[in-house]
Amino acid sequence: MLTYLIILLDDTSTSYCHYEVNRKKRNLISIEDLKAGIIWAMKENLNVQFVYPDYELPSEYLKIIDSLDHTDIKLFRNGKYADVVVLNGWGDDVPEGATCIIRCCRKELTEHIPVVNNWLKRLTRLNVVLTDVETFKDSDISNYSDTLSSLGKNIATLYASGHTPQLNLLTDRLMLSEMNNCGAGDTSVTLASNGKFYLCPAFYYADEKDCIGDLHSGLDIKNQQLLRLDHAPICRQCDAFQCRRCVWMNQKLTMDVNTPSHQQCVVAHLERNASRELLIKLEKLGVRISNSQPIEEMNELDPFNIVNRWK
Amino acid sequence: MLSKIRESGNSWKNGTVKNITFIVTKDCQLACKYCYLVGKNTKERMTWKVAKKAIDYVLEREDEFREESVIWDFIGGEPFLEIDLIDKICDYLKTEMFRRNHHWFNSYRFSFSTNGINYHTKKVQHFIEKNHKHLSIGITIDGTKRKHDLNRIWKTPEMELGIQPKPEDEKGSYDQVVKNIPLWLQQFPDASTKVTISSADLPYIKESVLHLYSLGIKEVNINCVFEDVWKEGDDILFENQLTELADAIIEQRLFESHSCSFFMEHIGKPLSRERDNQNWCGAGLMLAIDAKGNFYPCLRFAQYSLRNKPAWIIGNVKDGIDQNKLRPFLTLDRTTQSKQECIDCEVASGCAWCQGENYDAADTHTVYQRSTAICKMHKARVRANNYYWNKLFRKLKLEGRREEFEKQKSKVKNPIC
């Protein structure tokens, strides 16, 4: 069920997910489209998330945005008071109690484990978005596992001391009993600065022609069932519940929105398995996670090998 | 004798075979009106260098290509236009499979779908003589002269410029093809032919199948095109033709020695969501290679087969296969790609689809949207098929031979195209 509308206020709005924003030229959404988008969201009963560019918006825009309950996603330097803060880099002095996103490659994450550990002391939640999932190789499994394991040790210590920050890669799976993924085109759609709808910002930046409707004619999502879990043969039987299940990466790497790549599956399973290790550690330390269920031991890192109907 | 009752669909080593298709040329002497190869041309001819690279790529990866057997398939356009290349490829394949002690040596076939025009030529005959034990050759002859010539017409130079001949100037290819049928059947007595039915062919189905039988062809594999070409009333015409054909086959006792794939006992039944959830099509299990050295999950995903969509390239001879691009095919099942109407259909069994046509006709870039253009034709076929089996069973019962038939009938699997 559609629940969220993401509004890209400008072509240079910050990325908060796997996609890159390579556009330098400002292209602010028209005030008419912004108003129409907000009214459409209100009528459809959607929660609105505004994604900001790295410059101050005109006051009339801020006034319109403030006319409804919403979530702001902003880059750190403008994001002191944002609901979701996208960090610029590892040097940022993160706001106390905030929910932050850091976009980075695996190598950077490994090199900055101490920084993440420090951030987690201050933050309510940190989302790590890996920007190089698609280049993940089976030879990277060991390194990424070690990185997750190291982060898990720190989280266990924090939890044992009574501080319970969330790190998406490791703690989401502890609290989930079913898939909780991105939901592009299923639970959320994006309104871009050109006044057209897209499955998510990534589809807009990849190809502006790939729209799913506009503010005048409404939504027209072809094959929308393929964006749902029940129409994804690999994902629907998978228990890496924290996986982003990024349909944009699916389209890019496997050419079908309902089919994840080997890379996405393996990365998600390494996170799942590291979450399992963390859960066992926490149990040993006497820390209870409410509603958490045991995570079964699993050697297969790619559920495709289970689902493949022709092996 | 009832043991002679013939059913179609028993293909060679069904289920454990890798099908590797060389698209050796996109050229053909004919310009068949129903041909799904919309991008045929004279330019894209496979070179020996590309063919050798493809062979080396496959044979070097014995652990990845683990199927018990292999069918090396040659297709066009018209494959026999490239007989010199094919001969060289087959010689190299035999030598390399032997040299590498590959498990496919002595478990391989060379397969051809040809329009039959060059069948009698010296080079083709020499090739047949050399490889006879390992050959499957299907000549496409569509039935009677008037049906065959309706669609299977000669290409003219103007067609390459996009100029279509007037109907009265069209020249059919029946006469050139039919004269090669006796030689073909002499060399391959059990050979079958593949007949394609489009809207214009419908009035000629009965006479065409019977004509093919009269030529000595015992197995006729026949299907309606999957494209959305069907007109109002075509299903009724189709049903009537099949009913008349059923009468003729039974009355002339042709069922004892001949088969026609339109009549299969297992079709037209409901399918279980769980037990009968397999995909129909084998796309993704096959590998097709074109003149550029690109790999495809089946030739229907090469650009010359597609009207609306870009080619679905899964790799090439240089970089190999990108396994990610095969994943959608290998996880396909019936229900996920079907509309609720198809899942609930009470005559679903035997309703076929082509994954390439599904992709080409889909609203988005996906192989998970089943095209249902063939729906009313399938239902018409089911009605005629029910008629055929009810009539045949009654006849056998009256003759006291029904039980014997029931015991001896073979299980027919879904054919993989």
Side-chain angles (χ1 to χ4, degrees):
Chain A
M1 184 185 163
L2 203 56
T3 311
Y4 300 100
L5 174 66
I6 297 154
I7 298 183
L8 294 178
L9 292 166
D10 190 278
D11 273 2
T12 62
S13 289
T14 185
S15 171
Y16 61 95
C17 203
H18 292 296
Y19 63 95
E20 296 292 334
V21 176
N22 293 320
R23 300 188 193 189
K24 305 280 182 235
K25 195 178 166 193
R26 292 179 184 182
N27 179 30
L28 187 61
I29 191 169
S30 71
I31 200 112
E32 293 76 23
D33 284 346
L34 178 61
K35 282 181 193 168
I38 287 172
I39 290 168
W40 184 83
M42 291 166 82
K43 289 180 175 172
E44 297 292 329
N45 211 22
L46 304 180
N47 299 311
V48 181
Q49 300 174 341
F50 293 101
V51 190
Y52 287 73
D54 189 21
Y55 64 87
E56 200 63 37
L57 292 182
S59 58
E60 65 267 33
Y61 277 72
L62 297 174
K63 200 174 160 189
I64 293 164
I65 288 169
D66 209 30
S67 66
L68 86 166
D69 282 347
H70 65 274
T71 300
D72 287 335
I73 301 173
K74 294 182 177 179
L75 253 182
F76 179 54
R77 54 180 160 271
N78 284 332
K80 203 168 179 182
Y81 305 107
D83 304 294
V84 178
V85 177
V86 181
L87 300 170
N88 294 291
W90 301 102
D92 284 351
D93 188 15
V94 295
E96 185 83 32
T99 293
C100 289
I101 292 171
I102 179 79
R103 296 178 68 252
C104 63
C105 63
R106 297 184 308 276
K107 186 166 177 280
E108 285 177 298
L109 179 64
T110 304
E111 287 169 357
H112 293 90
I113 290 171
V115 178
V116 173
N117 290 342
N118 275 330
W119 281 351
L120 289 173
K121 288 177 192 163
R122 293 169 60 84
L123 295 174
T124 300
R125 178 177 173 87
L126 178 66
N127 276 3
V128 174
V129 177
L130 294 178
T131 53
D132 58 352
V133 172
E134 58 194 81
T135 61
F136 192 92
K137 294 184 176 62
D138 286 355
S139 55
D140 297 326
I141 288 173
S142 170
N143 277 344
Y144 190 50
S145 289
D146 290 347
T147 299
L148 293 168
S149 182
S150 177
L151 291 166
K153 276 179 199 156
N154 176 62
I155 289 173
T157 308
L158 286 173
Y159 275 46
S161 68
H163 185 52
T164 55
Q166 295 176 5
L167 175 65
N168 64 326
L169 304 178
L170 290 171
T171 62
D172 283 3
R173 179 60 186 81
L174 307 186
M175 293 173 274
L176 293 168
S177 56
E178 59 183 24
M179 277 287 182
N180 185 339
N181 320 118
C182 155
D186 179 23
T187 59
S188 67
V189 291
T190 293
L191 177 65
S193 45
N194 63 359
K196 292 179 180 169
F197 292 116
Y198 295 85
L199 293 178
C200 82
F203 284 91
Y204 169 65
Y205 288 112
D207 183 0
E208 278 192 43
K209 293 192 289 296
D210 205 2
C211 70
I212 51 167
D214 58 44
L215 286 165
H216 304 289
S217 51
L219 281 179
D220 179 21
I221 307 178
K222 307 280 190 203
N223 280 327
Q224 191 174 14
Q225 77 282 1
L226 297 181
L227 301 163
R228 295 197 317 253
L229 183 64
D230 63 344
H231 275 68
I234 298 178
C235 306
R236 68 188 173 206
Q237 60 78 56
C238 176
D239 76 345
F241 298 143
Q242 86 297 339
C243 177
R244 293 189 93 86
R245 222 164 73 75
C246 173
V247 296
W248 172 67
M249 269 205 283
N250 290 357
Q251 183 79 72
K252 196 173 167 192
L253 298 183
T254 72
M255 307 215 275
D256 230 320
V257 286
N258 69 343
T259 309
S261 62
H262 173 70
Q263 291 86 340
Q264 192 169 183
C265 288
V266 171
V267 167
H269 274 71
L270 292 172
E271 291 159 4
R272 173 213 182 269
N273 292 349
S275 300
R276 179 176 179 274
E277 272 181 42
L278 172 59
L279 187 62
I280 293 168
K281 271 195 198 88
L282 291 173
E283 280 166 0
K284 280 184 186 161
L285 290 168
V287 178
R288 287 196 57 194
I289 306 290
S290 61
N291 298 325
S292 78
Q293 293 167 0
I295 303 171
E296 280 178 31
E297 187 171 8
M298 192 177 178
N299 293 322
E300 182 58 72
L301 291 176
D302 186 351
F304 167 78
N305 295 326
I306 299 164
V307 180
N308 179 1
R309 306 180 69 84
W310 301 97
K311 65 182 175 183
Chain B
M1 294 292 289
L2 273 181
S3 57
K4 281 187 188 167
I5 287 182
R6 197 179 164 107
E7 290 196 58
S8 57
N10 298 315
S11 56
W12 184 68
K13 297 196 177 184
N14 206 1
T16 59
V17 183
K18 187 74 183 179
N19 193 306
I20 298 175
T21 304
F22 293 90
I23 305 170
V24 288
T25 177
K26 292 179 183 170
D27 192 13
C28 184
Q29 306 99 317
L30 303 184
C32 304
K33 293 176 193 168
Y34 52 54
C35 184
Y36 58 82
L37 302 171
V38 290
K40 289 205 293 289
N41 63 75
T42 55
K43 297 183 186 77
E44 294 179 75
R45 298 169 59 199
M46 187 175 276
T47 61
W48 164 241
K49 195 176 162 190
V50 165
K52 183 178 179 300
K53 272 188 182 172
I55 294 165
D56 290 342
Y57 176 84
V58 171
L59 294 183
E60 275 163 15
R61 289 163 178 78
E62 195 170 353
D63 54 332
E64 291 172 36
F65 295 90
R66 286 177 297 184
E67 287 83 352
E68 183 190 331
S69 310
V70 64
I71 295 176
W72 302 102
D73 197 12
F74 297 89
I75 204 155
E78 167 50 37
F80 283 145
L81 287 176
E82 296 294 336
I83 186 63
D84 291 335
L85 174 69
I86 288 168
D87 193 33
K88 196 168 178 178
I89 288 174
C90 293
D91 282 350
Y92 185 67
L93 279 169
K94 288 181 284 187
T95 311
E96 280 300 291
M97 287 191 292
F98 177 75
R99 188 183 70 78
R100 292 168 188 266
N101 195 24
H102 196 286
H103 73 281
W104 283 343
F105 186 70
N106 267 335
S107 193
Y108 68 92
R109 293 194 81 74
F110 299 133
S111 174
F112 297 82
S113 290
T114 171
N115 59 29
I117 290 166
N118 285 356
Y119 188 81
H120 64 288
T121 59
K122 199 174 163 187
K123 281 183 177 176
V124 172
Q125 284 300 308
H126 177 63
F127 174 80
I128 290 171
E129 196 183 335
K130 226 165 93 174
N131 296 287
H132 188 270
K133 210 173 88 178
H134 292 277
L135 280 184
S136 302
I137 300 180
I139 293 182
T140 301
I141 178 162
D142 252 2
T144 52
K145 180 173 167 60
R146 63 175 173 173
K147 176 185 174 324
H148 184 99
D149 287 350
L150 195 65
N151 281 310
R152 300 185 69 79
I153 58 170
W154 287 90
K155 185 180 69 176
T156 62
E158 290 75 29
M159 282 177 180
E160 283 184 36
L161 304 170
I163 304 163
Q164 296 304 312
K166 291 176 193 160
E168 60 269 27
D169 295 335
E170 288 174 359
K171 196 179 155 221
S173 59
Y174 177 86
D175 293 337
Q176 286 76 14
V177 177
V178 77
K179 68 183 182 192
N180 282 329
I181 298 297
L183 175 61
W184 173 52
L185 290 176
Q186 183 196 323
Q187 291 169 330
F188 301 98
D190 291 328
S192 62
T193 192
K194 189 172 179 297
V195 178
T196 303
I197 304 294
S198 63
S199 183
D201 303 305
L202 290 170
Y204 314 112
I205 292 175
K206 177 193 162 192
E207 64 174 42
S208 289
V209 173
L210 296 177
H211 177 68
L212 294 171
Y213 288 169
S214 74
L215 290 175
I217 300 167
K218 291 192 172 63
E219 185 172 327
V220 176
N221 293 313
I222 186 164
N223 68 280
C224 294
V225 297
F226 291 105
E227 288 80 5
D228 190 7
V229 296
W230 304 106
K231 300 189 192 96
E232 185 76 29
D234 275 356
D235 51 339
I236 305 300
L237 193 51
F238 183 47
E239 182 184 334
N240 291 342
Q241 277 290 309
L242 293 193
T243 305
E244 287 176 27
L245 178 62
D247 286 338
I249 288 175
I250 292 170
E251 279 156 25
Q252 296 171 41
R253 303 195 75 86
L254 292 165
F255 60 86
E256 291 180 340
S257 49
H258 294 72
S259 73
C260 170
S261 62
F262 271 143
F263 302 122
M264 288 179 168
E265 200 193 343
H266 73 290
I267 73 158
K269 312 284 189 296
L271 290 173
S272 155
R273 273 188 94 112
E274 291 78 27
R275 288 194 313 277
D276 308 310
N277 199 22
Q278 69 273 24
N279 193 26
W280 177 277
C281 171
L285 302 177
M286 303 179 271
L287 180 69
I289 307 136
D290 74 359
K292 289 178 186 159
N294 286 329
F295 291 146
Y296 305 90
C298 147
L299 84 138
R300 274 297 258 116
F301 290 84
Q303 197 60 64
Y304 82 139
S305 304
L306 297 162
R307 304 178 302 275
N308 307 311
K309 293 283 188 345
W312 193 303
I313 298 170
I314 58 167
N316 57 58
V317 291
K318 185 166 161 271
D319 303 319
I321 296 172
D322 179 348
Q323 294 294 337
N324 273 332
K325 294 187 168 66
L326 274 179
R327 283 162 77 99
F329 295 90
L330 300 179
T331 52
L332 262 167
D333 58 51
R334 184 178 66 89
T335 55
T336 308
Q337 66 186 299
S338 298
K339 290 178 190 168
Q340 195 61 41
E341 179 192 354
C342 297
I343 294 169
D344 296 338
C345 178
E346 300 211 333
V347 294
S349 67
C351 183
W353 60 86
C354 163
Q355 223 65 56
E357 174 57 22
N358 285 0
Y359 167 60
D360 207 13
D363 294 322
T364 59
H365 191 292
T366 184
V367 288
Y368 277 82
Q369 184 187 346
R370 182 171 159 190
S371 167
T372 52
I374 206 167
C375 176
K376 68 176 183 179
M377 304 307 282
H378 171 70
K379 287 175 177 167
R381 177 194 175 195
V382 167
R383 291 191 292 273
N385 187 60
N386 289 341
Y387 171 83
Y388 174 84
W389 288 103
N390 279 312
K391 183 163 180 166
L392 179 61
F393 283 154
R394 182 65 183 159
K395 183 182 177 72
L396 293 172
K397 195 172 180 182
L398 290 173
E399 292 172 0
R401 305 194 309 167
R402 170 78 187 268
E403 261 184 46
E404 192 188 340
F405 172 80
E406 294 284 355
K407 275 183 204 158
Q408 289 181 4
K409 68 188 174 189
S410 57
K411 284 181 183 170
V412 181
K413 292 183 177 177
N414 287 344
I416 291 177
C417 64

PDB file of all heavy atoms in Angstrom, chain A residues 175-195:
ATOM      1  N   MET A 175      15.280  -6.972  15.061  1.00  0.00           N
ATOM      2  CA  MET A 175      13.937  -6.541  15.454  1.00  0.00           C
ATOM      3  C   MET A 175      12.850  -6.903  14.441  1.00  0.00           C
ATOM      4  O   MET A 175      11.689  -6.608  14.655  1.00  0.00           O
ATOM      5  CB  MET A 175      13.940  -5.029  15.676  1.00  0.00           C
ATOM      6  CG  MET A 175      14.784  -4.645  16.885  1.00  0.00           C
ATOM      7  SD  MET A 175      14.961  -2.876  17.060  1.00  0.00           S
ATOM      8  CE  MET A 175      16.347  -2.526  16.031  1.00  0.00           C
ATOM      9  N   LEU A 176      13.268  -7.512  13.339  1.00  0.00           N
ATOM     10  CA  LEU A 176      12.292  -7.784  12.274  1.00  0.00           C
ATOM     11  C   LEU A 176      11.860  -9.247  12.243  1.00  0.00           C
ATOM     12  O   LEU A 176      12.685 -10.147  12.470  1.00  0.00           O
ATOM     13  CB  LEU A 176      12.893  -7.424  10.907  1.00  0.00           C
ATOM     14  CG  LEU A 176      13.152  -5.939  10.658  1.00  0.00           C
ATOM     15  CD1 LEU A 176      14.002  -5.749   9.401  1.00  0.00           C
ATOM     16  CD2 LEU A 176      11.826  -5.185  10.515  1.00  0.00           C
ATOM     17  N   SER A 177      10.597  -9.453  11.941  1.00  0.00           N
ATOM     18  CA  SER A 177      10.114 -10.828  11.781  1.00  0.00           C
ATOM     19  C   SER A 177       9.572 -11.045  10.367  1.00  0.00           C
ATOM     20  O   SER A 177       9.040 -12.093  10.036  1.00  0.00           O
ATOM     21  CB  SER A 177       9.030 -11.133  12.804  1.00  0.00           C
ATOM     22  OG  SER A 177       7.989 -10.193  12.683  1.00  0.00           O
ATOM     23  N   GLU A 178       9.692 -10.022   9.547  1.00  0.00           N
ATOM     24  CA  GLU A 178       9.324 -10.157   8.134  1.00  0.00           C
ATOM     25  C   GLU A 178      10.099  -9.116   7.333  1.00  0.00           C
ATOM     26  O   GLU A 178      10.744  -8.231   7.912  1.00  0.00           O
ATOM     27  CB  GLU A 178       7.819  -9.974   7.925  1.00  0.00           C
ATOM     28  CG  GLU A 178       7.318  -8.627   8.383  1.00  0.00           C
ATOM     29  CD  GLU A 178       5.803  -8.469   8.244  1.00  0.00           C
ATOM     30  OE1 GLU A 178       5.090  -9.479   8.223  1.00  0.00           O
ATOM     31  OE2 GLU A 178       5.363  -7.315   8.147  1.00  0.00           O
ATOM     32  N   MET A 179      10.021  -9.235   6.019  1.00  0.00           N
ATOM     33  CA  MET A 179      10.761  -8.319   5.158  1.00  0.00           C
ATOM     34  C   MET A 179      10.369  -6.862   5.420  1.00  0.00           C
ATOM     35  O   MET A 179       9.190  -6.543   5.560  1.00  0.00           O
ATOM     36  CB  MET A 179      10.488  -8.644   3.687  1.00  0.00           C
ATOM     37  CG  MET A 179      11.339  -9.756   3.147  1.00  0.00           C
ATOM     38  SD  MET A 179      13.041  -9.223   2.912  1.00  0.00           S
ATOM     39  CE  MET A 179      13.739 -10.732   2.233  1.00  0.00           C
ATOM     40  N   ASN A 180      11.355  -6.013   5.494  1.00  0.00           N
ATOM     41  CA  ASN A 180      11.126  -4.580   5.649  1.00  0.00           C
ATOM     42  C   ASN A 180      12.117  -3.884   4.729  1.00  0.00           C
ATOM     43  O   ASN A 180      13.239  -3.595   5.111  1.00  0.00           O
ATOM     44  CB  ASN A 180      11.361  -4.178   7.111  1.00  0.00           C
ATOM     45  CG  ASN A 180      11.008  -2.726   7.354  1.00  0.00           C
ATOM     46  OD1 ASN A 180      10.966  -1.923   6.431  1.00  0.00           O
ATOM     47  ND2 ASN A 180      10.758  -2.373   8.598  1.00  0.00           N
ATOM     48  N   ASN A 181      11.679  -3.665   3.494  1.00  0.00           N
ATOM     49  CA  ASN A 181      12.636  -3.218   2.475  1.00  0.00           C
ATOM     50  C   ASN A 181      12.304  -1.818   1.991  1.00  0.00           C
ATOM     51  O   ASN A 181      11.438  -1.159   2.552  1.00  0.00           O
ATOM     52  CB  ASN A 181      12.653  -4.215   1.317  1.00  0.00           C
ATOM     53  CG  ASN A 181      12.579  -5.661   1.782  1.00  0.00           C
ATOM     54  OD1 ASN A 181      11.647  -6.372   1.460  1.00  0.00           O
ATOM     55  ND2 ASN A 181      13.558  -6.078   2.580  1.00  0.00           N
ATOM     56  N   CYS A 182      12.944  -1.442   0.926  1.00  0.00           N
ATOM     57  CA  CYS A 182      12.819  -0.071   0.435  1.00  0.00           C
ATOM     58  C   CYS A 182      11.374   0.269   0.040  1.00  0.00           C
ATOM     59  O   CYS A 182      10.853   1.304   0.406  1.00  0.00           O
ATOM     60  CB  CYS A 182      13.759   0.097  -0.748  1.00  0.00           C
ATOM     61  SG  CYS A 182      13.282   1.379  -1.881  1.00  0.00           S
ATOM     62  N   GLY A 183      10.732  -0.588  -0.709  1.00  0.00           N
ATOM     63  CA  GLY A 183       9.324  -0.360  -1.050  1.00  0.00           C
ATOM     64  C   GLY A 183       9.098   0.596  -2.208  1.00  0.00           C
ATOM     65  O   GLY A 183       7.973   1.073  -2.409  1.00  0.00           O
ATOM     66  N   ALA A 184      10.128   0.863  -3.001  1.00  0.00           N
ATOM     67  CA  ALA A 184       9.953   1.778  -4.141  1.00  0.00           C
ATOM     68  C   ALA A 184       8.856   1.268  -5.073  1.00  0.00           C
ATOM     69  O   ALA A 184       8.864   0.117  -5.486  1.00  0.00           O
ATOM     70  CB  ALA A 184      11.265   1.906  -4.916  1.00  0.00           C
ATOM     71  N   GLY A 185       7.898   2.148  -5.365  1.00  0.00           N
ATOM     72  CA  GLY A 185       6.810   1.795  -6.272  1.00  0.00           C
ATOM     73  C   GLY A 185       5.711   0.980  -5.614  1.00  0.00           C
ATOM     74  O   GLY A 185       4.652   0.790  -6.200  1.00  0.00           O
ATOM     75  N   ASP A 186       5.967   0.507  -4.417  1.00  0.00           N
ATOM     76  CA  ASP A 186       4.970  -0.286  -3.695  1.00  0.00           C
ATOM     77  C   ASP A 186       4.446   0.521  -2.503  1.00  0.00           C
ATOM     78  O   ASP A 186       3.264   0.866  -2.448  1.00  0.00           O
ATOM     79  CB  ASP A 186       5.614  -1.603  -3.236  1.00  0.00           C
ATOM     80  CG  ASP A 186       4.647  -2.467  -2.452  1.00  0.00           C
ATOM     81  OD1 ASP A 186       3.432  -2.304  -2.621  1.00  0.00           O
ATOM     82  OD2 ASP A 186       5.119  -3.327  -1.673  1.00  0.00           O
ATOM     83  N   THR A 187       5.348   0.872  -1.594  1.00  0.00           N
ATOM     84  CA  THR A 187       4.928   1.692  -0.450  1.00  0.00           C
ATOM     85  C   THR A 187       5.323   3.160  -0.622  1.00  0.00           C
ATOM     86  O   THR A 187       4.862   4.014   0.130  1.00  0.00           O
ATOM     87  CB  THR A 187       5.536   1.162   0.863  1.00  0.00           C
ATOM     88  OG1 THR A 187       6.964   1.174   0.741  1.00  0.00           O
ATOM     89  CG2 THR A 187       5.061  -0.256   1.153  1.00  0.00           C
ATOM     90  N   SER A 188       6.190   3.432  -1.594  1.00  0.00           N
ATOM     91  CA  SER A 188       6.602   4.830  -1.797  1.00  0.00           C
ATOM     92  C   SER A 188       6.765   5.150  -3.273  1.00  0.00           C
ATOM     93  O   SER A 188       7.061   4.267  -4.072  1.00  0.00           O
ATOM     94  CB  SER A 188       7.944   5.092  -1.085  1.00  0.00           C
ATOM     95  OG  SER A 188       8.969   4.367  -1.718  1.00  0.00           O
ATOM     96  N   VAL A 189       6.540   6.413  -3.591  1.00  0.00           N
ATOM     97  CA  VAL A 189       6.886   6.915  -4.923  1.00  0.00           C
ATOM     98  C   VAL A 189       7.590   8.258  -4.747  1.00  0.00           C
ATOM     99  O   VAL A 189       7.548   8.856  -3.669  1.00  0.00           O
ATOM    100  CB  VAL A 189       5.658   7.107  -5.848  1.00  0.00           C
ATOM    101  CG1 VAL A 189       5.052   5.775  -6.243  1.00  0.00           C
ATOM    102  CG2 VAL A 189       4.624   8.014  -5.216  1.00  0.00           C
ATOM    103  N   THR A 190       8.226   8.693  -5.811  1.00  0.00           N
ATOM    104  CA  THR A 190       9.010   9.932  -5.749  1.00  0.00           C
ATOM    105  C   THR A 190       8.469  10.952  -6.740  1.00  0.00           C
ATOM    106  O   THR A 190       8.180  10.601  -7.892  1.00  0.00           O
ATOM    107  CB  THR A 190      10.490   9.623  -6.072  1.00  0.00           C
ATOM    108  OG1 THR A 190      11.018   8.831  -5.021  1.00  0.00           O
ATOM    109  CG2 THR A 190      11.323  10.887  -6.229  1.00  0.00           C
ATOM    110  N   LEU A 191       8.332  12.184  -6.259  1.00  0.00           N
ATOM    111  CA  LEU A 191       8.005  13.295  -7.156  1.00  0.00           C
ATOM    112  C   LEU A 191       9.300  14.061  -7.401  1.00  0.00           C
ATOM    113  O   LEU A 191       9.921  14.571  -6.463  1.00  0.00           O
ATOM    114  CB  LEU A 191       6.962  14.214  -6.509  1.00  0.00           C
ATOM    115  CG  LEU A 191       6.585  15.456  -7.316  1.00  0.00           C
ATOM    116  CD1 LEU A 191       5.886  15.089  -8.624  1.00  0.00           C
ATOM    117  CD2 LEU A 191       5.692  16.386  -6.489  1.00  0.00           C
ATOM    118  N   ALA A 192       9.706  14.125  -8.658  1.00  0.00           N
ATOM    119  CA  ALA A 192      10.962  14.805  -8.981  1.00  0.00           C
ATOM    120  C   ALA A 192      10.703  16.279  -9.272  1.00  0.00           C
ATOM    121  O   ALA A 192       9.551  16.712  -9.403  1.00  0.00           O
ATOM    122  CB  ALA A 192      11.634  14.127 -10.173  1.00  0.00           C
ATOM    123  N   SER A 193      11.783  17.017  -9.399  1.00  0.00           N
ATOM    124  CA  SER A 193      11.655  18.463  -9.589  1.00  0.00           C
ATOM    125  C   SER A 193      11.034  18.823 -10.939  1.00  0.00           C
ATOM    126  O   SER A 193      10.671  19.975 -11.167  1.00  0.00           O
ATOM    127  CB  SER A 193      13.019  19.130  -9.426  1.00  0.00           C
ATOM    128  OG  SER A 193      13.986  18.386 -10.120  1.00  0.00           O
ATOM    129  N   ASN A 194      10.902  17.864 -11.848  1.00  0.00           N
ATOM    130  CA  ASN A 194      10.238  18.136 -13.129  1.00  0.00           C
ATOM    131  C   ASN A 194       8.722  17.924 -13.057  1.00  0.00           C
ATOM    132  O   ASN A 194       8.040  17.973 -14.075  1.00  0.00           O
ATOM    133  CB  ASN A 194      10.841  17.265 -14.243  1.00  0.00           C
ATOM    134  CG  ASN A 194      10.639  15.778 -13.991  1.00  0.00           C
ATOM    135  OD1 ASN A 194      10.062  15.388 -12.972  1.00  0.00           O
ATOM    136  ND2 ASN A 194      11.131  14.950 -14.898  1.00  0.00           N
ATOM    137  N   GLY A 195       8.202  17.638 -11.871  1.00  0.00           N
ATOM    138  CA  GLY A 195       6.755  17.476 -11.710  1.00  0.00           C
ATOM    139  C   GLY A 195       6.245  16.093 -12.084  1.00  0.00           C
ATOM    140  O   GLY A 195       5.047  15.863 -12.156  1.00  0.00           O
TER     141      GLY A 195
END
